[in-house]
Every structure is written in C-alpha cells, then in structure tokens.
Amino acid sequence: RKEVEQDPGPFNVPEGATVAFNCTYSNSASQSFFWYRQDCRKEPKLLMSVYSSGNEDGRFTAQLNRASQYISLLIRDSKLSDSATYLCVVNLVTSGSARQLTFGSGTQLTVLP
Amino acid sequence: DAGITQSPRHKVTETGTPVTLRCHQTENHRYMYWYRQDPGHGLRLIHYSYGVKDTDKGEVSDGYSVSRSKTEDFLLTLESATSSQTSVYFCAITTSGPSSYNEQFFGPGTRLTVL
C-alpha cells in the first residue's frame, strides 16, 4: 500500500465548477499536511498547508480528518488557470527524518472553457 | 521565490558516464533535498542534507551520492549513469522556524536523459 494515495484522475470540469480531491495517508503518526500544485514540466509549488481545523484561502478549502487519515482539497469556481496536477503531501516527523515529506502521485485537473 | 537554482537544466548523457547536478540556494537554509520524479511514482527522495557535510539517504539512494561542502550548494552525483536514472531531478529546501510546518520549496528541476 502506498503511504499517500490519491485518485490520479484526470478530472475534467467546466469553468465555474466546484471540484474536490481526496487523499489518504497510511501512517497515523503523520503530523503536517500540504497540497502542492504542479504545472506541466514545472516544479511543484506549495498551494496550501492543511491545518487541523481546516483552512480556506480564497477559492480553495483544505480539510483534514485525522481519525480517517484523510485530506481533501475543494476548489470552487474553477478557472482555466487551475488546470494542473495537485499533489497531496504528508510530513512524518520521526527521529532522523524530521523534515522529510512523502508525496502522493498527484491528481490531474483540466478546467475546460 | 525561495532562491533556488539548479544546473544544468537539461542534460543528455551516455550510459556509464558520471554526472553531477548542482543545487544552489541563496537564503542560508539548513535542510536541502534531492528528489526524482517519474510518471506513476510521484516525487521520491534520493538524499537529503541537514547541514554542511551532514547528509543521509532517502528512499531511492542506490546509484547516487551527494556532497555538501558549503551551505549554499548541494551536489548530486551519478557515479555511472544508467538508463533507469533518466528522470526529472528536483532540489528542494525546507524553511525553518517556530511557525514553520516544514514546507518545502523546489528548484526548477533538471531533465536528465541517459542514452
């Protein structure tokens, strides 16, 4: 079983739609959670850190459910510029690996005009 | 912009040749990382460094070595490149501080092709 699992998609949605991505992680000791976006042939860029109570940044809402080991990302009013691959990322803090991240394989989103 | 550059940005080499990739940062971050990204696998950690001359192995370290002789530079070396090492290589740094959640920020990547 992969440590971080995501639905690879692709998700094809019309402009203005709401789309949600889900991610599950296997290690209950994981402590920090993130969503990154990656455009084609570019580096991953931090989209949001995910806080315990859930957090919102404009059209983006991230939620964490520790009991179910589940993270979600909701995008409202999708724009063409939201087309990208979204990576779910988990930080497991252990001795000697305090700052290592584990990446999901990503979910591809295409927003259609 | 985390002030990270990678060189070269593109490289084509032949099997069996040594290759060194360079990651350079300008903001004095302690932690630096090398990842490779391949279709279907996502980003996988090769090696990381937690200070000058302090390095450790990641998930896919076989066939790779690293060196960090000064804070700003982290080098990744393929001693004898193989076709399976054809990939996109990303360098990353971690911000630090009491409010940090250990977010990582990435360089632009190096596309390596081993023929």
Side-chain angles (χ1 to χ4, degrees), chain B residues 45-66:
Chain B
L45 182 65
I46 305 171
H47 281 278
Y48 67 101
S49 170
Y50 45 97
V52 172
K53 297 193 172 141
D54 291 323
T55 65
D56 206 347
K57 295 179 180 180
E59 176 189 358
V60 290
S61 59
D62 288 349
Y64 301 95
S65 63
V66 290

PDB file of all heavy atoms in Angstrom, chain B residues 45-66:
ATOM      1  N   LEU B  45      12.366  10.716  -2.678  1.00  0.00           N
ATOM      2  CA  LEU B  45      13.549  11.317  -2.077  1.00  0.00           C
ATOM      3  C   LEU B  45      14.776  10.462  -2.342  1.00  0.00           C
ATOM      4  O   LEU B  45      14.782   9.249  -2.080  1.00  0.00           O
ATOM      5  CB  LEU B  45      13.334  11.477  -0.566  1.00  0.00           C
ATOM      6  CG  LEU B  45      14.453  12.138   0.215  1.00  0.00           C
ATOM      7  CD1 LEU B  45      14.624  13.598  -0.213  1.00  0.00           C
ATOM      8  CD2 LEU B  45      14.159  12.055   1.708  1.00  0.00           C
ATOM      9  N   ILE B  46      15.840  11.097  -2.823  1.00  0.00           N
ATOM     10  CA  ILE B  46      17.091  10.398  -3.115  1.00  0.00           C
ATOM     11  C   ILE B  46      18.046  10.520  -1.922  1.00  0.00           C
ATOM     12  O   ILE B  46      18.496   9.529  -1.344  1.00  0.00           O
ATOM     13  CB  ILE B  46      17.754  10.965  -4.378  1.00  0.00           C
ATOM     14  CG1 ILE B  46      16.797  10.928  -5.567  1.00  0.00           C
ATOM     15  CG2 ILE B  46      19.024  10.173  -4.711  1.00  0.00           C
ATOM     16  CD1 ILE B  46      17.311  11.666  -6.795  1.00  0.00           C
ATOM     17  N   HIS B  47      18.399  11.736  -1.599  1.00  0.00           N
ATOM     18  CA  HIS B  47      19.249  12.056  -0.450  1.00  0.00           C
ATOM     19  C   HIS B  47      18.808  13.399   0.103  1.00  0.00           C
ATOM     20  O   HIS B  47      18.189  14.194  -0.602  1.00  0.00           O
ATOM     21  CB  HIS B  47      20.716  12.189  -0.875  1.00  0.00           C
ATOM     22  CG  HIS B  47      21.446  10.914  -1.081  1.00  0.00           C
ATOM     23  ND1 HIS B  47      22.011  10.172  -0.064  1.00  0.00           N
ATOM     24  CD2 HIS B  47      21.741  10.258  -2.242  1.00  0.00           C
ATOM     25  CE1 HIS B  47      22.615   9.113  -0.582  1.00  0.00           C
ATOM     26  NE2 HIS B  47      22.470   9.138  -1.885  1.00  0.00           N
ATOM     27  N   TYR B  48      19.184  13.644   1.340  1.00  0.00           N
ATOM     28  CA  TYR B  48      18.957  14.965   1.888  1.00  0.00           C
ATOM     29  C   TYR B  48      20.127  15.375   2.774  1.00  0.00           C
ATOM     30  O   TYR B  48      20.971  14.539   3.143  1.00  0.00           O
ATOM     31  CB  TYR B  48      17.636  15.045   2.659  1.00  0.00           C
ATOM     32  CG  TYR B  48      17.570  14.226   3.925  1.00  0.00           C
ATOM     33  CD1 TYR B  48      17.746  14.824   5.175  1.00  0.00           C
ATOM     34  CD2 TYR B  48      17.292  12.873   3.886  1.00  0.00           C
ATOM     35  CE1 TYR B  48      17.666  14.079   6.332  1.00  0.00           C
ATOM     36  CE2 TYR B  48      17.212  12.122   5.041  1.00  0.00           C
ATOM     37  CZ  TYR B  48      17.386  12.722   6.263  1.00  0.00           C
ATOM     38  OH  TYR B  48      17.313  11.975   7.411  1.00  0.00           O
ATOM     39  N   SER B  49      20.185  16.639   3.084  1.00  0.00           N
ATOM     40  CA  SER B  49      21.254  17.179   3.913  1.00  0.00           C
ATOM     41  C   SER B  49      20.649  18.059   5.005  1.00  0.00           C
ATOM     42  O   SER B  49      19.729  18.832   4.747  1.00  0.00           O
ATOM     43  CB  SER B  49      22.215  18.013   3.051  1.00  0.00           C
ATOM     44  OG  SER B  49      23.118  18.723   3.867  1.00  0.00           O
ATOM     45  N   TYR B  50      21.206  17.913   6.198  1.00  0.00           N
ATOM     46  CA  TYR B  50      20.741  18.730   7.315  1.00  0.00           C
ATOM     47  C   TYR B  50      21.840  19.657   7.826  1.00  0.00           C
ATOM     48  O   TYR B  50      21.780  20.159   8.947  1.00  0.00           O
ATOM     49  CB  TYR B  50      20.169  17.859   8.443  1.00  0.00           C
ATOM     50  CG  TYR B  50      21.000  16.655   8.801  1.00  0.00           C
ATOM     51  CD1 TYR B  50      21.893  16.692   9.867  1.00  0.00           C
ATOM     52  CD2 TYR B  50      20.890  15.477   8.081  1.00  0.00           C
ATOM     53  CE1 TYR B  50      22.648  15.588  10.203  1.00  0.00           C
ATOM     54  CE2 TYR B  50      21.651  14.355   8.398  1.00  0.00           C
ATOM     55  CZ  TYR B  50      22.534  14.425   9.466  1.00  0.00           C
ATOM     56  OH  TYR B  50      23.292  13.322   9.789  1.00  0.00           O
ATOM     57  N   GLY B  51      22.840  19.872   6.995  1.00  0.00           N
ATOM     58  CA  GLY B  51      23.901  20.815   7.314  1.00  0.00           C
ATOM     59  C   GLY B  51      25.127  20.500   6.484  1.00  0.00           C
ATOM     60  O   GLY B  51      25.182  19.471   5.796  1.00  0.00           O
ATOM     61  N   VAL B  52      26.118  21.383   6.579  1.00  0.00           N
ATOM     62  CA  VAL B  52      27.356  21.163   5.838  1.00  0.00           C
ATOM     63  C   VAL B  52      27.974  19.835   6.265  1.00  0.00           C
ATOM     64  O   VAL B  52      28.127  19.560   7.456  1.00  0.00           O
ATOM     65  CB  VAL B  52      28.330  22.325   6.090  1.00  0.00           C
ATOM     66  CG1 VAL B  52      29.693  22.016   5.476  1.00  0.00           C
ATOM     67  CG2 VAL B  52      27.771  23.620   5.520  1.00  0.00           C
ATOM     68  N   LYS B  53      28.241  19.014   5.284  1.00  0.00           N
ATOM     69  CA  LYS B  53      28.845  17.685   5.448  1.00  0.00           C
ATOM     70  C   LYS B  53      27.930  16.689   6.162  1.00  0.00           C
ATOM     71  O   LYS B  53      28.362  15.575   6.472  1.00  0.00           O
ATOM     72  CB  LYS B  53      30.196  17.775   6.159  1.00  0.00           C
ATOM     73  CG  LYS B  53      31.210  18.573   5.368  1.00  0.00           C
ATOM     74  CD  LYS B  53      32.619  18.413   5.880  1.00  0.00           C
ATOM     75  CE  LYS B  53      33.523  19.098   4.859  1.00  0.00           C
ATOM     76  NZ  LYS B  53      34.612  19.815   5.375  1.00  0.00           N
ATOM     77  N   ASP B  54      26.688  17.057   6.421  1.00  0.00           N
ATOM     78  CA  ASP B  54      25.727  16.149   7.045  1.00  0.00           C
ATOM     79  C   ASP B  54      24.680  15.748   6.029  1.00  0.00           C
ATOM     80  O   ASP B  54      23.848  16.574   5.618  1.00  0.00           O
ATOM     81  CB  ASP B  54      25.045  16.827   8.239  1.00  0.00           C
ATOM     82  CG  ASP B  54      25.997  17.049   9.384  1.00  0.00           C
ATOM     83  OD1 ASP B  54      26.867  16.173   9.609  1.00  0.00           O
ATOM     84  OD2 ASP B  54      25.889  18.090  10.053  1.00  0.00           O
ATOM     85  N   THR B  55      24.726  14.476   5.619  1.00  0.00           N
ATOM     86  CA  THR B  55      23.770  14.001   4.618  1.00  0.00           C
ATOM     87  C   THR B  55      23.237  12.640   5.030  1.00  0.00           C
ATOM     88  O   THR B  55      23.830  11.949   5.859  1.00  0.00           O
ATOM     89  CB  THR B  55      24.412  13.892   3.223  1.00  0.00           C
ATOM     90  OG1 THR B  55      25.440  12.886   3.251  1.00  0.00           O
ATOM     91  CG2 THR B  55      25.012  15.218   2.788  1.00  0.00           C
ATOM     92  N   ASP B  56      22.117  12.275   4.428  1.00  0.00           N
ATOM     93  CA  ASP B  56      21.547  10.972   4.728  1.00  0.00           C
ATOM     94  C   ASP B  56      20.795  10.473   3.509  1.00  0.00           C
ATOM     95  O   ASP B  56      20.437  11.254   2.612  1.00  0.00           O
ATOM     96  CB  ASP B  56      20.612  11.043   5.932  1.00  0.00           C
ATOM     97  CG  ASP B  56      20.502   9.716   6.660  1.00  0.00           C
ATOM     98  OD1 ASP B  56      20.941   8.684   6.101  1.00  0.00           O
ATOM     99  OD2 ASP B  56      19.970   9.695   7.780  1.00  0.00           O
ATOM    100  N   LYS B  57      20.545   9.165   3.493  1.00  0.00           N
ATOM    101  CA  LYS B  57      19.894   8.549   2.347  1.00  0.00           C
ATOM    102  C   LYS B  57      18.386   8.699   2.428  1.00  0.00           C
ATOM    103  O   LYS B  57      17.798   8.711   3.506  1.00  0.00           O
ATOM    104  CB  LYS B  57      20.243   7.058   2.299  1.00  0.00           C
ATOM    105  CG  LYS B  57      21.706   6.787   2.053  1.00  0.00           C
ATOM    106  CD  LYS B  57      21.976   5.282   2.049  1.00  0.00           C
ATOM    107  CE  LYS B  57      23.452   5.019   1.789  1.00  0.00           C
ATOM    108  NZ  LYS B  57      23.748   3.565   1.780  1.00  0.00           N
ATOM    109  N   GLY B  58      17.805   8.744   1.241  1.00  0.00           N
ATOM    110  CA  GLY B  58      16.361   8.719   1.139  1.00  0.00           C
ATOM    111  C   GLY B  58      15.882   7.372   0.634  1.00  0.00           C
ATOM    112  O   GLY B  58      16.578   6.361   0.722  1.00  0.00           O
ATOM    113  N   GLU B  59      14.701   7.400   0.058  1.00  0.00           N
ATOM    114  CA  GLU B  59      14.024   6.177  -0.377  1.00  0.00           C
ATOM    115  C   GLU B  59      14.715   5.473  -1.544  1.00  0.00           C
ATOM    116  O   GLU B  59      14.707   4.243  -1.636  1.00  0.00           O
ATOM    117  CB  GLU B  59      12.591   6.551  -0.773  1.00  0.00           C
ATOM    118  CG  GLU B  59      11.737   5.454  -1.352  1.00  0.00           C
ATOM    119  CD  GLU B  59      10.425   5.993  -1.908  1.00  0.00           C
ATOM    120  OE1 GLU B  59      10.173   7.218  -1.803  1.00  0.00           O
ATOM    121  OE2 GLU B  59       9.645   5.186  -2.451  1.00  0.00           O
ATOM    122  N   VAL B  60      15.335   6.253  -2.462  1.00  0.00           N
ATOM    123  CA  VAL B  60      15.875   5.675  -3.697  1.00  0.00           C
ATOM    124  C   VAL B  60      17.320   6.116  -3.897  1.00  0.00           C
ATOM    125  O   VAL B  60      17.678   6.687  -4.932  1.00  0.00           O
ATOM    126  CB  VAL B  60      14.999   6.045  -4.914  1.00  0.00           C
ATOM    127  CG1 VAL B  60      13.667   5.327  -4.853  1.00  0.00           C
ATOM    128  CG2 VAL B  60      14.791   7.546  -5.026  1.00  0.00           C
ATOM    129  N   SER B  61      18.170   5.849  -2.939  1.00  0.00           N
ATOM    130  CA  SER B  61      19.530   6.378  -2.945  1.00  0.00           C
ATOM    131  C   SER B  61      20.537   5.538  -3.739  1.00  0.00           C
ATOM    132  O   SER B  61      21.633   6.020  -4.056  1.00  0.00           O
ATOM    133  CB  SER B  61      20.038   6.526  -1.513  1.00  0.00           C
ATOM    134  OG  SER B  61      20.015   5.265  -0.862  1.00  0.00           O
ATOM    135  N   ASP B  62      20.204   4.299  -4.083  1.00  0.00           N
ATOM    136  CA  ASP B  62      21.166   3.443  -4.784  1.00  0.00           C
ATOM    137  C   ASP B  62      21.578   4.068  -6.112  1.00  0.00           C
ATOM    138  O   ASP B  62      20.742   4.455  -6.919  1.00  0.00           O
ATOM    139  CB  ASP B  62      20.566   2.053  -5.033  1.00  0.00           C
ATOM    140  CG  ASP B  62      20.466   1.233  -3.770  1.00  0.00           C
ATOM    141  OD1 ASP B  62      21.053   1.648  -2.750  1.00  0.00           O
ATOM    142  OD2 ASP B  62      19.801   0.181  -3.795  1.00  0.00           O
ATOM    143  N   GLY B  63      22.892   4.133  -6.345  1.00  0.00           N
ATOM    144  CA  GLY B  63      23.413   4.681  -7.588  1.00  0.00           C
ATOM    145  C   GLY B  63      23.664   6.178  -7.543  1.00  0.00           C
ATOM    146  O   GLY B  63      24.126   6.747  -8.530  1.00  0.00           O
ATOM    147  N   TYR B  64      23.386   6.790  -6.385  1.00  0.00           N
ATOM    148  CA  TYR B  64      23.567   8.232  -6.229  1.00  0.00           C
ATOM    149  C   TYR B  64      24.443   8.525  -5.015  1.00  0.00           C
ATOM    150  O   TYR B  64      24.366   7.815  -4.010  1.00  0.00           O
ATOM    151  CB  TYR B  64      22.221   8.931  -6.010  1.00  0.00           C
ATOM    152  CG  TYR B  64      21.207   8.756  -7.101  1.00  0.00           C
ATOM    153  CD1 TYR B  64      20.245   7.752  -7.022  1.00  0.00           C
ATOM    154  CD2 TYR B  64      21.183   9.615  -8.196  1.00  0.00           C
ATOM    155  CE1 TYR B  64      19.294   7.597  -8.006  1.00  0.00           C
ATOM    156  CE2 TYR B  64      20.223   9.468  -9.196  1.00  0.00           C
ATOM    157  CZ  TYR B  64      19.293   8.453  -9.086  1.00  0.00           C
ATOM    158  OH  TYR B  64      18.341   8.298 -10.079  1.00  0.00           O
ATOM    159  N   SER B  65      25.210   9.587  -5.104  1.00  0.00           N
ATOM    160  CA  SER B  65      25.911  10.115  -3.943  1.00  0.00           C
ATOM    161  C   SER B  65      25.721  11.617  -3.914  1.00  0.00           C
ATOM    162  O   SER B  65      25.354  12.227  -4.925  1.00  0.00           O
ATOM    163  CB  SER B  65      27.407   9.762  -3.983  1.00  0.00           C
ATOM    164  OG  SER B  65      28.018  10.362  -5.121  1.00  0.00           O
ATOM    165  N   VAL B  66      25.940  12.208  -2.751  1.00  0.00           N
ATOM    166  CA  VAL B  66      25.759  13.652  -2.599  1.00  0.00           C
ATOM    167  C   VAL B  66      26.924  14.225  -1.822  1.00  0.00           C
ATOM    168  O   VAL B  66      27.644  13.524  -1.120  1.00  0.00           O
ATOM    169  CB  VAL B  66      24.439  14.003  -1.877  1.00  0.00           C
ATOM    170  CG1 VAL B  66      23.224  13.702  -2.754  1.00  0.00           C
ATOM    171  CG2 VAL B  66      24.338  13.290  -0.549  1.00  0.00           C
TER     172      VAL B  66
END
